[in-house]
Amino acid sequence: MSRKPEAFTRILALLAMLTCLPSAQAAVIDTVFRAGFEAEAPGDVPASDAEAARFLTQATFGPNVQEIANLRKVGYTLWMDQQLSMPLTSARVHLEQLSAAIGTPPTNGFSQNDRVDRFYHTAVYGRDQLRQRMAWALSQIFVVSDTNGAINDDIIQMGEYWDVLARGGFGDYRTLLHDVTLSPTMGKYLSHWRNRKAAGTRLPDENYAREVMQLFSIGLIERNLDFSPMLMSGQPVPTYDQDDVAEMARLFTGFNYSNATTIFNGSNTPPAGYMPMTCIQGEHDVGSKTVLGGVVLPAGQNCLIDVEAMLDVIHLHPNVAPFISRQLIQRFVTSTPSAAYIARVATVFQNNGSGQRGDLAAVLRTILLDTEARNSSPPANFGKLREPVLRLTALLRAWNAVAPPPSAGQPASRIPMGSGARGFSQTPMRAPTVFNFYLPDFQQPGPIAAANLFSPEFQITNESTAWAVGNTLYSHSYNGYVGQPGTQSRPWVDLSPLAAAASNAAMVEIANQRMLYGSMTTATRTALTTMLTSLGSATAIDKARSVAYVTALSPEFATQR
């Protein structure tokens, strides 16, 4: 067997992963056989720091110098294998520990803000970057929101819902849809928790029945594999109608907490508050039901059998592959993916090469390693506006932000990540509606819409949100740096590499490499250089603060190419 030394080193690294991480066994074996004991394909290793940073911008919560160096050493394939094998950084376990330390709400201040702080801490410091980034993407498809009063106090339960998405993000879609459907957090948010069968003038709630089709699986109209609409007599073909919704609503009756014995009792005290819901058969509609495509579910079945049968029907619907694939491409890579890109990813969704449908890990690998994603000179219509959350996490990761200590009098398990991170235009699992912060089909009026491009993130971009994002970035750069006076109450960026620069030009170039990955335009470079010149004899750290903050406001940092 002949093999290049560096490639052989990667095989040894894979075997080491198998020793250290038993759960990684399947991924390691798949990788070894996928490689066929041959050298990696040309281009598997990024040719430059900029190429590595571009990939990490798509796949993580932001590049940093350490991860760029690691990716350039191991290559895309092994990096993804490592990430797919990485254990979960749990939100729920952390929140349970915090609750045990300080007691239960509302008297102790334990709130959804503690959950948000945990999100940011994991996004900035967690090793399972790809898993958490996938959970972030999925949380914008399978939406729940703490703006809903039914779940606003369910802090630990919402932490578990996040973990459901993070665990399921590398599994199969059918299992994830099952876990989401039976989650009491989703049940309370979309009203199929304690949903009762028809009686007299009472009808089952239709919320989840509608959204599981419209938002979580098949969408409103029939699609080809490349997401183009199927037409009949020149018109789109609806995927379902109101009769389908009404029949589906009858399925989602009889569900309650796992510790309930009637539709009215049971408690949301953990773990019952986040365990899969149980079936109260007396409240389930046991009549036969005709669902999508005319599939008839027989009478006399209990809640779980009915729902499992329905989820199988949804899972096999041809729309699921392009519908989910396109949204994941939007969340990771580009707002307007080409039809061919969507079709390639949807084909893998249909069959991962081993006969498995809905393999989300394979789908994610295809999205990130596709030729369009890895094209180092993408066309003008490629890319996306960076979400506010991803702009903040990228800033903190670029400058190796130092985590804040617990506030005085607080347990070590309470993580203060800064109130600014909780209050600007986009907060994890705090979307205003089940339709997320923005719609996948949103087109910003003007040149973007005229070019028939999609721009979801622009739907939350206006004067107010631009001001809020700018203030938050200010708080975490210019006014949040290592060495500043005062008590640390949020992550402080380490700007020492900037402050140590030998000249204004060198300082600008360091910011270019750390934050813009070599993509700084002449206009931005000129603006920064002029600013530094105007600062005259200001201290090196004051110049560094200014450069980091203004670069964070630049168009290059606000966009992902």
Side-chain angles (χ1 to χ4, degrees), residues 229-243:
M230 289 186 179
L231 302 178
M232 181 176 294
S233 301
Q235 298 299 316
V237 181
T239 49
Y240 63 88
D241 58 22
Q242 179 54 35
D243 289 340

Side-chain angles (χ1 to χ4, degrees), residues 199-222:
T201 59
R202 185 185 69 222
L203 295 173
D205 188 282
E206 296 179 349
N207 245 6
Y208 191 74
R210 180 176 291 103
E211 308 309 353
V212 72
M213 294 186 289
Q214 179 179 348
L215 301 178
F216 303 168
S217 61
I218 63 175
L220 292 173
I221 63 172
E222 299 284 352

Side-chain angles (χ1 to χ4, degrees), residues 92-147:
R92 172 180 54 82
V93 170
H94 162 80
L95 292 169
E96 286 178 328
Q97 292 170 346
L98 178 58
S99 178
I102 64 177
T104 55
T107 56
N108 57 8
F110 185 48
S111 73
Q112 294 289 352
N113 286 337
D114 288 297
R115 173 188 59 76
V116 176
D117 284 347
R118 176 58 169 177
F119 164 85
Y120 276 106
H121 192 274
T122 301
V124 176
Y125 304 110
R127 296 184 63 226
D128 54 334
Q129 283 286 301
L130 185 62
R131 182 183 294 278
Q132 297 294 333
R133 181 71 188 273
M134 182 62 152
W136 173 234
L138 292 171
S139 74
Q140 297 187 61
I141 300 173
F142 302 95
V143 173
V144 300
S145 174
D146 66 15
T147 61

